[in-house]
């Protein structure tokens, strides 16, 4: 059965308030395409496990941590409040990052892999020399990232420029700077590719560009850089 619901602000904040602080829990957003729609670049099995198991686990653990935070705050338990910050950052970041990632992908028949046009295409050429140079830079930095993490194309709103950044584990891009807006994020955790590409991360990074949704990245860029 197709999972066609686009991720939007309402979906990302389908919530239940906790306590008087109104803390918001998350629910798993649907994908805007079927699990097998990105094949052969990304297998159906990977997409289903990645979405239903890994993304869901971040949401479940984030919601649990928020409930514990609510209880600890009510009790005035400062030690537990501090202890929970790492779980909230890790699992909340996992939800934020994956929600962006799903939108960064599209089936080939729906424009996946088509080069960016308009202002984003021009800015990529101006910042990196060419789209091919950007792809090489992101693939190289993603392959070289030790352990698990993400490689990002971002708009630095303060300096009005495009930058490539990496983040460790599930750290969201905002941890690298409050003015950075994620346009494109590629998951380089093993769960994103190992079932298909084994330990050859560069092959995954070579093939994922065939299903990158540059239209979505362009929409975010134009909204944030009018």
């Amino acid at each position: 059965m197709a999972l066609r619901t686009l991720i939007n602000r309402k979906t990302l904040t389908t919530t239940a308030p906790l306590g008087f602080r109104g803390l918001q829990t998350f629910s798993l957003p649907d994908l805007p395409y079927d699990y097998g729609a990105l094949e052969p670049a990304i297998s159906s099995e990977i997409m289903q496990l990645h979405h239903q198991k890994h993304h869901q686990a971040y949401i479940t653990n984030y919601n649990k941590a928020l409930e514990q935070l609510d209880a600890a705050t009510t009790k005035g338990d400062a030690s537990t409040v501090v202890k929970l910050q790492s779980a909230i950052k890790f699992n909340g970041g996992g939800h934020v990052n994956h929600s962006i990632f799903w939108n960064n992908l599209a089936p080939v028949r729906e424009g996946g892999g088509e080069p960016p046009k308009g202002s984003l295409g021009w800015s990529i050429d101006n910042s990196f020399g060419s789209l091919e140079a950007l792809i090489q830079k992101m693939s190289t930095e993603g392959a070289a990232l030790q352990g698990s993490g993400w490689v990002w194309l971002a708009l630095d709103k303060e300096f009005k420029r495009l930058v490539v950044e990496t983040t460790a584990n599930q750290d969201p891009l905002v941890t690298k700077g409050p003015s950075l807006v994620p346009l494109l994020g590629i998951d380089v955790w093993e769960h994103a590719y190992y079932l298909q590409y084994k330990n050859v991360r560069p092959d995954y990074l070579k093939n994922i560009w065939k299903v990158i949704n540059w239209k979505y990245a362009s929409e975010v860029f134009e909204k944030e850089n009018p």
Side-chain angles (χ1 to χ4, degrees):
M1 179 179 179
L3 297 175
R4 302 298 303 174
T5 304
L6 290 172
I7 300 171
N8 55 36
R9 183 171 296 275
K10 182 177 180 181
T11 302
L12 296 181
T13 57
T14 300
T15 62
L18 297 173
F20 67 90
R21 283 163 295 281
L23 299 175
Q24 301 294 300
T25 57
F26 292 120
S27 59
L28 184 67
D30 289 341
L31 297 185
Y33 37 75
D34 295 327
Y35 289 129
L38 304 180
E39 291 185 340
I42 306 177
S43 73
S44 175
E45 183 181 19
I46 285 178
M47 290 300 297
Q48 186 169 5
L49 287 171
H50 199 167
H51 180 249
Q52 291 186 354
K53 301 299 183 181
H54 292 280
H55 191 171
Q56 180 63 68
Y58 296 124
I59 290 170
T60 299
N61 292 329
Y62 177 81
N63 291 345
K64 180 180 178 180
L66 279 192
E67 291 170 359
Q68 294 172 336
L69 176 65
D70 186 64
T73 304
T74 299
K75 295 176 182 178
D77 184 354
S79 178
T80 298
V81 169
V82 171
K83 188 185 303 182
L84 287 167
Q85 298 309 305
S86 60
I88 291 171
K89 177 185 177 183
F90 178 80
N91 292 293
H95 173 58
V96 169
N97 292 346
H98 282 88
S99 296
I100 296 169
F101 184 57
W102 306 137
N103 275 324
N104 284 155
L105 304 173
V108 172
R109 65 177 180 271
E110 296 179 14
E114 291 183 3
K117 302 174 182 178
S119 57
L120 178 59
W122 179 87
S123 295
I124 288 173
D125 289 343
N126 188 54
S127 298
F128 303 101
S130 66
L131 176 61
E132 292 72 21
L134 169 64
I135 290 173
Q136 181 62 44
K137 180 176 177 62
M138 289 187 68
S139 297
T140 298
E141 295 198 17
L145 186 64
Q146 293 185 346
S148 300
W150 293 74
V151 58
W152 302 92
L153 172 65
L155 168 65
D156 187 329
K157 294 187 70 172
E158 181 179 356
F159 295 101
K160 301 290 185 181
R161 65 184 181 185
L162 296 177
V163 296
V164 171
E165 292 281 355
T166 59
T167 55
N169 300 313
Q170 290 298 348
D171 289 358
L173 184 60
V174 70
T175 60
K176 284 295 186 79
S179 66
L180 297 179
V181 177
L183 305 178
L184 169 64
I186 297 179
D187 189 347
V188 294
W189 280 65
E190 285 189 344
H191 66 233
Y193 63 87
Y194 198 87
L195 286 175
Q196 185 173 357
Y197 294 98
K198 307 308 179 196
N199 63 330
V200 190
R201 187 190 287 177
D203 283 355
Y204 160 71
L205 289 167
K206 176 182 178 181
N207 286 310
I208 197 172
W209 296 102
K210 299 173 183 177
V211 291
I212 289 296
N213 186 3
W214 285 109
K215 181 179 179 181
Y216 174 80
S218 294
E219 289 172 353
V220 176
F221 178 77
E222 290 171 8
K223 177 183 177 182
E224 300 291 341
N225 188 48

